[in-house]
Amino acid sequence: MTSFLPPECLEKIFLILYNPLTASTNTATKDIHACTLVSRYWCNVSTPLLYSYPFQHFANLNSKSQQKDVQDYYKLIRTLLTCIPQSEIEEIINSKILPNEPISFSLKSSPTFDYGTFFHGLQLGSIFSKVHIDHDKIWMPSYIPTDTIPIRLTFELYYSIINHLVKYLSEFCKNLTILEIKLFTFNDENVQIKLMETLLNSFFDDSKENKLTGLKSLYFAISGNAGTQLMTKEVSNLSKFYANLSSFTKNLESLHNGKIISLEQANALSSLISSQKRLKSITLSQEDFFYSFTRTHNIQVFEFYNVVFNTLRTQSAWLEKLEFTLLSFQYLDQESLDSLCSLKNLKELKIMKCKFLDKLKVWTTHSHLSGLQVLEFTPDNYTQLHVDGDWLNKIFQFTSSSLKKLILDFKREIDQGFQLIRLISLHLHSLNYLVLPKLYPTELITILKSCIELVYLSTGLLEGGQWDQNLPSISKFIPNSVEKIQFREIHFLVDNRTFELFLKGCINKGVKLQSLEMTGKKKLDQKYYDIANQFGVKLIS
């Protein structure tokens, strides 16, 4: 008699091979997919894991992705479409092409599982943005005779099918923990994507089980200039969705809102934030900042954000991560500023291409930011960096004992940033993770002398720095704690002898260097890899 491990034990073993919450690439599914092929019993236990968060593996899929990843994505769409009754797909096709002369379809085989019921994560933006007509031979169900479809109707027809797929997924998924929504509009007036209407009907129908009680992460964005083109009804449905979510979902930990396009939406978002028990991460982004002003006056948009900022105080006891992207603080009111100052447990702050940061000076000098551990900053206007530098100076002073990770992302021009290098070396001695713009050798040495606890260092190398002469001597100042170095934007070739002396100096000093990444226009030949191997360092280029 054959003995089996209980499914609960088998599932725990499979989670060691593949944890869907931490796997970031499609390659990570290889082992768990192999488990589905062992036996019917293993297949029944491993398949729900494989399809729990299927779209997250393709989040970074683009035109430069490997062909296999592209094909795997379209195969996933095809697999999900097979779960929809064939008659429903036939009805869509015939209504678009020949309503009076229906096409005769071959019968499809039934899918092994109803895969949508396994979903715990639903990413609805990628379905619309990544489905292309060029790949219809892969993702369209095999029983559909694509050759008979007129080219003039393909775009409209295919998105009608994808619309129906979204309806299926939102109706049959259960116990969602991650929901990502991205609203799209297309130039073709015949293509109507009523995403919010579909989600309202699927998630908040009184006759259906509430699937969003356990939701932990919500990501919402509006693609491109869609905010100026969305129908009034769709905008209203978005606000209703947030309002309903406030009643049904109380345990969000992460919230990303990309773009606010109406006061109604701002009020609904505020209600959603204040209704949560322990919201740990909030991202507010006016994505495609300038597009959003084509029909909405600037001051009005800023007022929308004041409404939301005022609500942040409701999460002051829990909020650990805050990110602002493409926002302007020009019209930040006192109540909003007081709300920011109430955030006493922030550990991570990201300021990405925001305007009028001088309005936040009171906040940055507030004692509640003294526990900040991570700061990521990208300036909006490089020519006004001195203003942002003053703002950063205040943060550096008040986080000198707590800040562990600093990322400064800007293209250095002439002497911009020199003051920041001095301030870092003056205040931030406890950093273990540091990303900087291009540096000269003397500036890098200044940083290395001061930041003696570094584990990771990333910087660009400025041309004209005589790196062939200076790089070997720089190795003397690398802290022994450094495990990974990244030299970016190298537009010149460092001599392989210089490269060898640098590594030799690091290893002889006792640096724990494990990997060295060198990226730029110049490609490294095999000699550099051989040298790195001699010192037990992994070279990446």
Side-chain angles (χ1 to χ4, degrees):
M1 179 173 131
T2 305
S3 60
F4 292 99
L5 280 173
E8 296 82 5
C9 294
L10 200 56
E11 183 176 328
K12 289 183 178 180
I13 295 173
F14 290 157
L15 282 171
I16 297 175
L17 290 175
Y18 168 76
N19 189 330
L21 288 175
T22 57
S24 58
T25 61
N26 191 35
T27 356
T29 65
K30 182 179 178 181
D31 291 336
I32 192 68
H33 180 262
C35 293
T36 66
L37 305 177
V38 172
S39 68
R40 184 181 295 275
Y41 180 61
W42 276 39
C43 184
N44 288 336
V45 178
S46 58
T47 300
L49 292 177
L50 185 61
Y51 282 89
S52 53
Y53 300 90
F55 288 111
Q56 75 173 29
H57 313 303
F58 304 101
N60 298 319
L61 198 68
N62 53 48
S63 57
K64 297 180 181 179
S65 300
Q66 295 184 6
Q67 187 62 25
K68 183 183 182 303
D69 292 335
V70 174
Q71 291 181 349
D72 286 347
Y73 173 78
Y74 290 113
K75 288 177 182 178
L76 170 62
I77 296 296
R78 182 180 63 193
T79 298
L80 297 176
L81 283 172
T82 62
C83 299
I84 300 175
Q86 181 173 338
S87 59
E88 295 180 12
I89 302 296
E90 290 178 8
E91 184 178 349
I92 293 173
I93 295 175
N94 286 325
S95 66
K96 298 291 182 183
I97 302 177
L98 296 170
N100 298 322
E101 301 177 31
I103 296 175
S104 178
F105 298 88
S106 58
L107 293 176
K108 71 168 185 178
S109 56
S110 300
T112 308
F113 299 97
D114 197 356
Y115 296 99
T117 60
F118 300 146
F119 278 34
H120 292 302
L122 190 55
Q123 287 87 0
L124 294 177
S126 61
I127 297 179
F128 292 115
S129 62
K130 295 184 174 69
V131 172
H132 298 291
I133 294 175
D134 294 343
H135 296 88
D136 61 348
K137 298 295 183 184
I138 303 177
W139 68 268
M140 285 286 278
S142 57
Y143 62 84
I144 297 177
T146 54
D147 295 338
T148 64
I149 300 175
I151 295 178
R152 61 184 175 81
L153 292 175
T154 50
F155 195 70
E156 178 185 354
L157 173 62
Y158 289 175
Y159 275 98
S160 294
I161 293 175
I162 294 301
N163 263 320
H164 200 71
L165 174 61
V166 169
K167 181 181 178 182
Y168 156 77
L169 294 177
S170 56
E171 285 185 349
F172 286 92
C173 64
K174 298 179 179 179
N175 302 319
L176 286 182
T177 60
I178 297 176
L179 178 60
E180 295 186 9
I181 303 169
K182 194 168 186 177
L183 297 187
F184 281 84
T185 58
F186 295 96
N187 293 329
D188 191 335
E189 61 182 12
N190 294 317
V191 179
Q192 298 290 335
I193 297 179
K194 300 179 180 180
L195 181 57
M196 297 315 304
E197 182 178 329
T198 299
L199 296 183
L200 277 172
N201 293 334
S202 299
F203 291 141
F204 301 116
D205 188 322
D206 292 338
S207 64
K208 298 176 182 177
E209 178 186 0
N210 181 18
K211 307 164 191 174
L212 301 180
T213 303
L215 197 65
K216 299 293 184 183
S217 175
L218 175 65
Y219 178 101
F220 168 77
I222 299 178
S223 175
N225 61 349
T228 64
Q229 299 176 3
L230 291 173
M231 296 182 299
T232 303
K233 184 177 180 181
E234 189 73 347
V235 173
S236 177
N237 283 338
L238 167 60
S239 302
K240 289 179 182 177
F241 183 84
Y242 272 174
N244 285 335
L245 206 58
S246 302
S247 301
F248 287 95
T249 304
K250 304 292 184 181
N251 297 304
L252 278 180
E253 296 179 358
S254 174
L255 172 62
H256 175 115
N257 185 85
K259 194 175 286 184
I260 299 178
I261 56 180
S262 70
L263 180 59
E264 184 184 11
Q265 181 195 352
N267 286 327
L269 176 59
S270 296
S271 175
L272 177 61
I273 291 174
S274 60
S275 67
Q276 302 309 304
K277 294 179 179 178
R278 296 193 176 191
L279 197 49
K280 296 180 180 179
S281 173
I282 295 179
T283 297
L284 298 176
S285 171
Q286 193 65 13
E287 296 171 2
D288 300 311
F289 186 86
F290 294 105
Y291 285 113
S292 67
F293 293 152
T294 53
R295 292 188 183 178
T296 309
H297 194 267
N298 297 23
I299 299 178
Q300 187 178 16
V301 172
F302 300 141
E303 288 176 350
F304 296 164
Y305 278 94
N306 275 325
V307 171
V308 179
F309 288 148
N310 294 342
T311 317
L312 295 181
R313 68 174 74 248
T314 64
Q315 300 299 322
S316 61
W318 321 110
L319 197 60
E320 297 178 354
K321 179 179 178 181
L322 189 59
E323 178 177 345
F324 297 137
T325 301
L326 293 168
L327 301 187
S328 173
F329 299 97
Q330 182 176 8
Y331 298 101
L332 186 75
D333 62 26
Q334 186 59 46
E335 189 176 357
S336 294
L337 187 58
D338 291 343
S339 181
L340 288 174
C341 291
S342 73
L343 304 178
K344 54 189 176 182
N345 290 310
L346 277 185
K347 293 182 173 59
E348 184 170 350
L349 177 63
K350 292 186 179 183
I351 305 290
M352 316 298 285
K353 297 185 178 181
C354 294
K355 293 176 177 290
F356 297 98
L357 296 182
D358 55 314
K359 298 286 287 187
L360 299 178
K361 283 184 180 178
V362 174
W363 181 39
T364 56
T365 58
H366 202 277
S367 60
H368 287 163
L369 277 184
S370 60
L372 201 65
Q373 297 176 7
V374 179
L375 175 63
E376 185 170 350
F377 173 73
T378 301
D380 174 70
N381 190 333
Y382 302 141
T383 60
Q384 295 181 2
L385 191 58
H386 63 280
V387 176
D388 300 327
D390 184 48
W391 177 80
L392 285 172
N393 182 24
K394 299 297 183 183
I395 290 190
F396 291 171
Q397 291 181 42
F398 281 86
T399 61
S400 58
S401 60
S402 64
L403 201 64
K404 299 297 182 183
K405 181 175 181 179
L406 174 64
I407 300 175
L408 298 179
D409 180 15
F410 60 89
K411 293 182 180 180
R412 183 175 180 179
E413 298 176 1
I414 313 175
D415 286 333
Q416 287 180 331
F418 178 77
Q419 180 188 10
L420 293 181
I421 301 303
R422 183 180 64 82
L423 293 173
I424 291 171
S425 62
L426 182 63
H427 298 294
L428 305 180
H429 302 157
S430 300
L431 289 175
N432 53 42
Y433 189 107
L434 179 60
V435 178
L436 293 171
K438 288 183 177 182
L439 298 180
Y440 287 109
T442 53
E443 294 171 333
L444 179 56
I445 290 174
T446 300
I447 291 292
L448 295 174
K449 285 182 176 179
S450 303
C451 303
I452 58 175
E453 298 181 15
L454 284 178
V455 175
Y456 176 85
L457 171 67
S458 174
T459 181
L461 303 185
L462 272 169
E463 294 184 66
Q466 297 181 316
W467 292 97
D468 275 334
Q469 298 177 25
N470 290 298
L471 199 57
S473 60
I474 286 175
S475 64
K476 302 175 184 177
F477 302 98
I478 303 288
N480 288 354
S481 55
V482 170
E483 297 178 2
K484 182 175 181 179
I485 296 174
Q486 182 189 53
F487 290 140
R488 311 183 317 272
E489 304 172 84
I490 305 176
H491 303 318
F492 50 89
L493 190 61
V494 177
D495 181 79
N496 58 45
R497 177 59 179 163
T498 300
F499 179 74
E500 181 178 1
L501 290 174
F502 172 75
L503 288 181
K504 184 177 181 179
C506 289
I507 301 304
N508 288 346
K509 182 177 179 293
V511 179
K512 300 176 182 179
L513 189 61
Q514 298 176 6
S515 67
L516 173 62
E517 183 175 357
M518 302 181 72
T519 62
K521 292 181 179 180
K522 298 295 183 180
K523 300 299 180 183
L524 303 180
D525 57 35
Q526 186 58 43
K527 179 65 175 177
Y528 291 86
Y529 292 91
D530 295 339
I531 293 172
N533 285 333
Q534 291 176 18
F535 295 100
V537 176
K538 181 180 180 181
L539 179 61
I540 305 169
S541 63

